[in-house]
Amino acid sequence: NERLRLFNTSAKLKLNIFNSKAGLLVIIAEVLTSSPFQLKIVEPLKIIDHERRSGFRVAVDMWAKVSPENTFSVNDADDVQIVYINDVSICELHMFSEKIYEVGSIHWVKLELENASLITQIEVMRKSDEYAMTRNGIGLYEYGIHFLGLRPEEDDKLCSFLFRKQREISKKVK
């Protein structure tokens, strides 16, 4: 007996759908038709796929660890490098390092995302030819990094972190 809110045709909606067996699914969709009793949508897209496509970025100020192998432990191996991260998206991050990494090379990264650690493979997509910035008197090269094959639980950790950061930023703006 409840009536639905009316929406304009072609309006974009973010729908939170909860099912006791499947859990929460968040999708982005476009309104085809809207009436008090029925809502028809087209082009539904899971939020993770939408964010991956639109690639919103969140500014951060954090340090991370990079290694050619997944050798992160309490006592880091000699080949682990400390890098600076200044923004992150669902599929990429922006990294600065004193070490030279070749475009196309594959590495592992360990990010500390407030309440969770994320360890995953990355690929260097682009790099600066010269030092892009200096931190603590050390010249750093700039890199565009792409996440490779995030598992669903890693996607969840990263999405949770990004949405939390996005909320913090929007609260500051208001």
Side-chain angles (χ1 to χ4, degrees), residues 12-108:
K12 296 257 188 218
L13 297 180
K14 178 179 170 186
L15 303 169
N16 299 313
I17 303 167
F18 182 76
N19 177 297
S20 59
K21 290 184 181 178
L24 178 68
L25 174 66
V26 181
I27 62 171
I28 303 289
E30 189 174 305
V31 174
L32 180 63
T33 61
S34 176
S35 75
F37 305 103
Q38 187 176 37
L39 174 65
K40 290 184 181 180
I41 59 171
V42 292
E43 299 182 26
L45 189 60
K46 286 184 188 174
I47 189 75
I48 188 81
D49 296 329
H50 172 75
E51 297 302 351
R52 191 179 311 279
R53 186 185 296 172
S54 61
F56 76 89
R57 294 191 166 283
V58 173
V60 296
D61 182 18
M62 63 192 280
W63 296 92
K65 296 177 181 180
V66 173
S67 177
E69 301 294 326
N70 187 356
T71 55
F72 304 108
S73 65
V74 176
N75 299 318
D76 286 325
D78 292 336
D79 58 358
V80 173
Q81 298 291 316
I82 305 297
V83 298
Y84 174 69
I85 310 293
N86 77 340
D87 70 46
V88 180
S89 76
I90 193 65
C91 53
E92 295 180 329
L93 59 85
H94 199 206
M95 173 180 101
F96 294 85
S97 174
E98 63 184 293
K99 180 178 171 150
I100 296 176
Y101 294 98
E102 294 302 319
V103 172
S105 60
I106 308 291
H107 304 276
W108 286 86

Side-chain angles (χ1 to χ4, degrees), residues 152-170:
E153 62 271 14
E154 293 165 336
D155 261 340
D156 290 345
K157 285 179 187 179
L158 189 54
C159 274
S160 175
F161 171 77
L162 291 171
F163 286 137
R164 193 169 43 253
K165 284 292 190 189
Q166 202 175 32
R167 277 193 303 272
E168 288 173 12
I169 291 168
S170 67

Side-chain angles (χ1 to χ4, degrees), residues 116-169:
S117 289
L118 173 68
I119 298 175
T120 190
Q121 275 193 307
I122 56 172
E123 180 178 4
V124 177
M125 301 304 287
R126 60 192 178 283
K127 89 173 201 45
S128 62
D129 293 329
E130 300 175 3
Y131 291 134
M133 73 180 305
T134 303
R135 288 220 31 134
N136 302 327
I138 299 171
L140 302 175
Y141 294 97
E142 180 178 13
Y143 297 92
I145 303 295
H146 183 77
F147 292 118
L148 296 177
L150 287 173
R151 296 186 316 263
E153 62 271 14
E154 293 165 336
D155 261 340
D156 290 345
K157 285 179 187 179
L158 189 54
C159 274
S160 175
F161 171 77
L162 291 171
F163 286 137
R164 193 169 43 253
K165 284 292 190 189
Q166 202 175 32
R167 277 193 303 272
E168 288 173 12
I169 291 168

